[in-house]
Amino acid sequence: MITGMEYPSLSGLVAAIKFLFDQATIPAAKRKQWFEDHIEPSYKQLCAIHEDYSKQFSKALDLLKKGTNLEEVVEVLKGDRPNLLLKRQEVRESLLALRNYRMEKKRKPKVVILFYDYVSSVDEYLNAASPLPRATWYSYFIDTFSKIVQEGKNPLNYDYPGCAQGRNSPNLAKEELDAAVQKNMPEAMRKVQANYAKLRTECLAQV
């Protein structure tokens, strides 16, 4: 399992964005090195995140449906989510600067547009891989679920009076995890892969 201390920092994308602004564009002669130094590592990191979280959420969903080994479910539900990477100040500022640059009316090289598309799809994936966001009613549900499990009681038969979803909370959590595993994450990852392939082709083309 990827823990908070082991999270990739998205430093590859941040460095790639900074290089873009420092150079005003990405010179054709430097594109291959730029891609191999920054883009390729970021993609490999994302693939590792995708594989790890797909396994985590699938296992948690299966255990929830069976009502067994709920301690493991708690570990997954309380774990950090990949979209926390997007909330780090340096990452936020870099992504915002890139978006603003992309929105400028002046013409931009194809590689810049493809890079923007790739970064945007990474952003979308990290959010898709972060179901049950803590800044919602799920925070109460997760904390309460965890407490009930620690007390040795069955959290699947609890009323959860502290949120409007009440007794249906566990079912809604299952639906969110199922949507993440079966639809949202795979679709977002396919978009990342497609944009990565286009950017790779452009960067590794013969100068």
Side-chain angles (χ1 to χ4, degrees), residues 27-44:
K30 295 184 178 180
R31 287 177 189 173
K32 182 175 184 295
Q33 192 68 42
W34 173 77
F35 179 87
E36 293 176 345
D37 287 349
H38 305 303
I39 308 304
E40 190 171 31
S42 78
Y43 177 72
K44 290 180 178 179

PDB file of all heavy atoms in Angstrom, residues 27-44:
ATOM      1  N   PRO A  27      12.410  23.541 -26.646  1.00  0.00           N
ATOM      2  CA  PRO A  27      13.144  23.417 -27.903  1.00  0.00           C
ATOM      3  C   PRO A  27      13.148  21.983 -28.413  1.00  0.00           C
ATOM      4  O   PRO A  27      13.253  21.028 -27.627  1.00  0.00           O
ATOM      5  CB  PRO A  27      14.566  23.861 -27.518  1.00  0.00           C
ATOM      6  CG  PRO A  27      14.366  24.726 -26.308  1.00  0.00           C
ATOM      7  CD  PRO A  27      13.219  24.131 -25.566  1.00  0.00           C
ATOM      8  N   ALA A  28      13.000  21.821 -29.700  1.00  0.00           N
ATOM      9  CA  ALA A  28      12.924  20.482 -30.294  1.00  0.00           C
ATOM     10  C   ALA A  28      14.106  19.612 -29.886  1.00  0.00           C
ATOM     11  O   ALA A  28      13.949  18.421 -29.620  1.00  0.00           O
ATOM     12  CB  ALA A  28      12.846  20.601 -31.817  1.00  0.00           C
ATOM     13  N   ALA A  29      15.277  20.208 -29.818  1.00  0.00           N
ATOM     14  CA  ALA A  29      16.478  19.451 -29.497  1.00  0.00           C
ATOM     15  C   ALA A  29      16.484  18.942 -28.056  1.00  0.00           C
ATOM     16  O   ALA A  29      17.223  18.019 -27.719  1.00  0.00           O
ATOM     17  CB  ALA A  29      17.717  20.318 -29.731  1.00  0.00           C
ATOM     18  N   LYS A  30      15.679  19.527 -27.210  1.00  0.00           N
ATOM     19  CA  LYS A  30      15.676  19.151 -25.789  1.00  0.00           C
ATOM     20  C   LYS A  30      14.442  18.347 -25.390  1.00  0.00           C
ATOM     21  O   LYS A  30      14.313  17.941 -24.244  1.00  0.00           O
ATOM     22  CB  LYS A  30      15.752  20.410 -24.919  1.00  0.00           C
ATOM     23  CG  LYS A  30      17.052  21.177 -25.071  1.00  0.00           C
ATOM     24  CD  LYS A  30      17.099  22.359 -24.107  1.00  0.00           C
ATOM     25  CE  LYS A  30      18.424  23.103 -24.214  1.00  0.00           C
ATOM     26  NZ  LYS A  30      18.480  24.245 -23.272  1.00  0.00           N
ATOM     27  N   ARG A  31      13.546  18.136 -26.327  1.00  0.00           N
ATOM     28  CA  ARG A  31      12.278  17.490 -25.972  1.00  0.00           C
ATOM     29  C   ARG A  31      12.461  16.055 -25.473  1.00  0.00           C
ATOM     30  O   ARG A  31      11.801  15.618 -24.535  1.00  0.00           O
ATOM     31  CB  ARG A  31      11.328  17.498 -27.161  1.00  0.00           C
ATOM     32  CG  ARG A  31      10.758  18.868 -27.444  1.00  0.00           C
ATOM     33  CD  ARG A  31       9.876  18.871 -28.673  1.00  0.00           C
ATOM     34  NE  ARG A  31       9.535  20.248 -29.020  1.00  0.00           N
ATOM     35  CZ  ARG A  31       8.896  20.597 -30.111  1.00  0.00           C
ATOM     36  NH1 ARG A  31       8.519  19.668 -30.980  1.00  0.00           N
ATOM     37  NH2 ARG A  31       8.618  21.861 -30.360  1.00  0.00           N
ATOM     38  N   LYS A  32      13.336  15.304 -26.122  1.00  0.00           N
ATOM     39  CA  LYS A  32      13.547  13.911 -25.729  1.00  0.00           C
ATOM     40  C   LYS A  32      14.059  13.848 -24.292  1.00  0.00           C
ATOM     41  O   LYS A  32      13.552  13.063 -23.477  1.00  0.00           O
ATOM     42  CB  LYS A  32      14.528  13.229 -26.677  1.00  0.00           C
ATOM     43  CG  LYS A  32      14.781  11.759 -26.367  1.00  0.00           C
ATOM     44  CD  LYS A  32      15.670  11.133 -27.438  1.00  0.00           C
ATOM     45  CE  LYS A  32      15.868   9.641 -27.210  1.00  0.00           C
ATOM     46  NZ  LYS A  32      16.614   9.346 -25.970  1.00  0.00           N
ATOM     47  N   GLN A  33      15.052  14.665 -23.968  1.00  0.00           N
ATOM     48  CA  GLN A  33      15.607  14.666 -22.613  1.00  0.00           C
ATOM     49  C   GLN A  33      14.579  15.144 -21.600  1.00  0.00           C
ATOM     50  O   GLN A  33      14.459  14.591 -20.509  1.00  0.00           O
ATOM     51  CB  GLN A  33      16.849  15.574 -22.561  1.00  0.00           C
ATOM     52  CG  GLN A  33      17.664  15.419 -21.277  1.00  0.00           C
ATOM     53  CD  GLN A  33      18.332  14.053 -21.187  1.00  0.00           C
ATOM     54  OE1 GLN A  33      18.864  13.551 -22.177  1.00  0.00           O
ATOM     55  NE2 GLN A  33      18.288  13.441 -20.020  1.00  0.00           N
ATOM     56  N   TRP A  34      13.823  16.170 -21.971  1.00  0.00           N
ATOM     57  CA  TRP A  34      12.769  16.709 -21.103  1.00  0.00           C
ATOM     58  C   TRP A  34      11.732  15.630 -20.803  1.00  0.00           C
ATOM     59  O   TRP A  34      11.308  15.453 -19.666  1.00  0.00           O
ATOM     60  CB  TRP A  34      12.124  17.903 -21.804  1.00  0.00           C
ATOM     61  CG  TRP A  34      10.916  18.491 -21.139  1.00  0.00           C
ATOM     62  CD1 TRP A  34      10.893  19.304 -20.046  1.00  0.00           C
ATOM     63  CD2 TRP A  34       9.554  18.326 -21.543  1.00  0.00           C
ATOM     64  NE1 TRP A  34       9.589  19.669 -19.746  1.00  0.00           N
ATOM     65  CE2 TRP A  34       8.753  19.077 -20.656  1.00  0.00           C
ATOM     66  CE3 TRP A  34       8.926  17.636 -22.584  1.00  0.00           C
ATOM     67  CZ2 TRP A  34       7.359  19.142 -20.766  1.00  0.00           C
ATOM     68  CZ3 TRP A  34       7.552  17.692 -22.696  1.00  0.00           C
ATOM     69  CH2 TRP A  34       6.775  18.440 -21.790  1.00  0.00           C
ATOM     70  N   PHE A  35      11.354  14.887 -21.842  1.00  0.00           N
ATOM     71  CA  PHE A  35      10.368  13.823 -21.681  1.00  0.00           C
ATOM     72  C   PHE A  35      10.908  12.722 -20.773  1.00  0.00           C
ATOM     73  O   PHE A  35      10.217  12.274 -19.842  1.00  0.00           O
ATOM     74  CB  PHE A  35      10.002  13.246 -23.050  1.00  0.00           C
ATOM     75  CG  PHE A  35       9.014  12.119 -22.984  1.00  0.00           C
ATOM     76  CD1 PHE A  35       7.650  12.375 -22.969  1.00  0.00           C
ATOM     77  CD2 PHE A  35       9.449  10.799 -22.921  1.00  0.00           C
ATOM     78  CE1 PHE A  35       6.733  11.340 -22.890  1.00  0.00           C
ATOM     79  CE2 PHE A  35       8.542   9.766 -22.840  1.00  0.00           C
ATOM     80  CZ  PHE A  35       7.180  10.030 -22.829  1.00  0.00           C
ATOM     81  N   GLU A  36      12.127  12.294 -21.018  1.00  0.00           N
ATOM     82  CA  GLU A  36      12.698  11.184 -20.253  1.00  0.00           C
ATOM     83  C   GLU A  36      13.011  11.576 -18.810  1.00  0.00           C
ATOM     84  O   GLU A  36      12.918  10.746 -17.903  1.00  0.00           O
ATOM     85  CB  GLU A  36      13.959  10.672 -20.948  1.00  0.00           C
ATOM     86  CG  GLU A  36      13.665  10.004 -22.289  1.00  0.00           C
ATOM     87  CD  GLU A  36      14.918   9.580 -23.028  1.00  0.00           C
ATOM     88  OE1 GLU A  36      16.026  10.053 -22.637  1.00  0.00           O
ATOM     89  OE2 GLU A  36      14.808   8.802 -23.999  1.00  0.00           O
ATOM     90  N   ASP A  37      13.356  12.835 -18.597  1.00  0.00           N
ATOM     91  CA  ASP A  37      13.702  13.281 -17.239  1.00  0.00           C
ATOM     92  C   ASP A  37      12.475  13.554 -16.381  1.00  0.00           C
ATOM     93  O   ASP A  37      12.517  13.358 -15.150  1.00  0.00           O
ATOM     94  CB  ASP A  37      14.554  14.555 -17.298  1.00  0.00           C
ATOM     95  CG  ASP A  37      15.969  14.294 -17.770  1.00  0.00           C
ATOM     96  OD1 ASP A  37      16.354  13.112 -17.854  1.00  0.00           O
ATOM     97  OD2 ASP A  37      16.675  15.269 -18.072  1.00  0.00           O
ATOM     98  N   HIS A  38      11.398  14.026 -16.981  1.00  0.00           N
ATOM     99  CA  HIS A  38      10.259  14.498 -16.193  1.00  0.00           C
ATOM    100  C   HIS A  38       8.939  13.771 -16.473  1.00  0.00           C
ATOM    101  O   HIS A  38       8.248  13.351 -15.539  1.00  0.00           O
ATOM    102  CB  HIS A  38      10.061  15.997 -16.431  1.00  0.00           C
ATOM    103  CG  HIS A  38      11.273  16.816 -16.161  1.00  0.00           C
ATOM    104  ND1 HIS A  38      11.923  16.816 -14.938  1.00  0.00           N
ATOM    105  CD2 HIS A  38      11.985  17.667 -16.950  1.00  0.00           C
ATOM    106  CE1 HIS A  38      12.961  17.630 -14.984  1.00  0.00           C
ATOM    107  NE2 HIS A  38      13.021  18.150 -16.194  1.00  0.00           N
ATOM    108  N   ILE A  39       8.586  13.637 -17.734  1.00  0.00           N
ATOM    109  CA  ILE A  39       7.272  13.094 -18.071  1.00  0.00           C
ATOM    110  C   ILE A  39       7.205  11.592 -17.827  1.00  0.00           C
ATOM    111  O   ILE A  39       6.267  11.092 -17.193  1.00  0.00           O
ATOM    112  CB  ILE A  39       6.907  13.392 -19.536  1.00  0.00           C
ATOM    113  CG1 ILE A  39       7.061  14.889 -19.831  1.00  0.00           C
ATOM    114  CG2 ILE A  39       5.492  12.918 -19.825  1.00  0.00           C
ATOM    115  CD1 ILE A  39       6.247  15.775 -18.912  1.00  0.00           C
ATOM    116  N   GLU A  40       8.189  10.872 -18.326  1.00  0.00           N
ATOM    117  CA  GLU A  40       8.178   9.418 -18.171  1.00  0.00           C
ATOM    118  C   GLU A  40       8.151   8.981 -16.703  1.00  0.00           C
ATOM    119  O   GLU A  40       7.341   8.115 -16.334  1.00  0.00           O
ATOM    120  CB  GLU A  40       9.381   8.811 -18.894  1.00  0.00           C
ATOM    121  CG  GLU A  40       9.332   7.302 -19.008  1.00  0.00           C
ATOM    122  CD  GLU A  40      10.424   6.768 -19.907  1.00  0.00           C
ATOM    123  OE1 GLU A  40      11.509   7.382 -19.965  1.00  0.00           O
ATOM    124  OE2 GLU A  40      10.189   5.742 -20.563  1.00  0.00           O
ATOM    125  N   PRO A  41       8.978   9.577 -15.821  1.00  0.00           N
ATOM    126  CA  PRO A  41       8.904   9.200 -14.400  1.00  0.00           C
ATOM    127  C   PRO A  41       7.539   9.508 -13.780  1.00  0.00           C
ATOM    128  O   PRO A  41       7.033   8.714 -12.979  1.00  0.00           O
ATOM    129  CB  PRO A  41      10.007  10.050 -13.751  1.00  0.00           C
ATOM    130  CG  PRO A  41      10.969  10.324 -14.851  1.00  0.00           C
ATOM    131  CD  PRO A  41      10.114  10.491 -16.077  1.00  0.00           C
ATOM    132  N   SER A  42       6.949  10.637 -14.156  1.00  0.00           N
ATOM    133  CA  SER A  42       5.642  10.986 -13.592  1.00  0.00           C
ATOM    134  C   SER A  42       4.589   9.971 -14.024  1.00  0.00           C
ATOM    135  O   SER A  42       3.683   9.628 -13.248  1.00  0.00           O
ATOM    136  CB  SER A  42       5.227  12.399 -14.024  1.00  0.00           C
ATOM    137  OG  SER A  42       4.738  12.422 -15.353  1.00  0.00           O
ATOM    138  N   TYR A  43       4.696   9.497 -15.244  1.00  0.00           N
ATOM    139  CA  TYR A  43       3.742   8.513 -15.751  1.00  0.00           C
ATOM    140  C   TYR A  43       3.893   7.182 -15.015  1.00  0.00           C
ATOM    141  O   TYR A  43       2.899   6.541 -14.640  1.00  0.00           O
ATOM    142  CB  TYR A  43       3.948   8.319 -17.248  1.00  0.00           C
ATOM    143  CG  TYR A  43       3.052   7.267 -17.857  1.00  0.00           C
ATOM    144  CD1 TYR A  43       1.686   7.510 -18.014  1.00  0.00           C
ATOM    145  CD2 TYR A  43       3.566   6.036 -18.260  1.00  0.00           C
ATOM    146  CE1 TYR A  43       0.851   6.548 -18.568  1.00  0.00           C
ATOM    147  CE2 TYR A  43       2.747   5.079 -18.823  1.00  0.00           C
ATOM    148  CZ  TYR A  43       1.392   5.326 -18.961  1.00  0.00           C
ATOM    149  OH  TYR A  43       0.569   4.369 -19.503  1.00  0.00           O
ATOM    150  N   LYS A  44       5.123   6.778 -14.795  1.00  0.00           N
ATOM    151  CA  LYS A  44       5.368   5.523 -14.077  1.00  0.00           C
ATOM    152  C   LYS A  44       4.855   5.612 -12.634  1.00  0.00           C
ATOM    153  O   LYS A  44       4.329   4.639 -12.090  1.00  0.00           O
ATOM    154  CB  LYS A  44       6.860   5.184 -14.096  1.00  0.00           C
ATOM    155  CG  LYS A  44       7.356   4.765 -15.480  1.00  0.00           C
ATOM    156  CD  LYS A  44       8.840   4.440 -15.463  1.00  0.00           C
ATOM    157  CE  LYS A  44       9.310   3.975 -16.839  1.00  0.00           C
ATOM    158  NZ  LYS A  44      10.765   3.670 -16.873  1.00  0.00           N
TER     159      LYS A  44
END
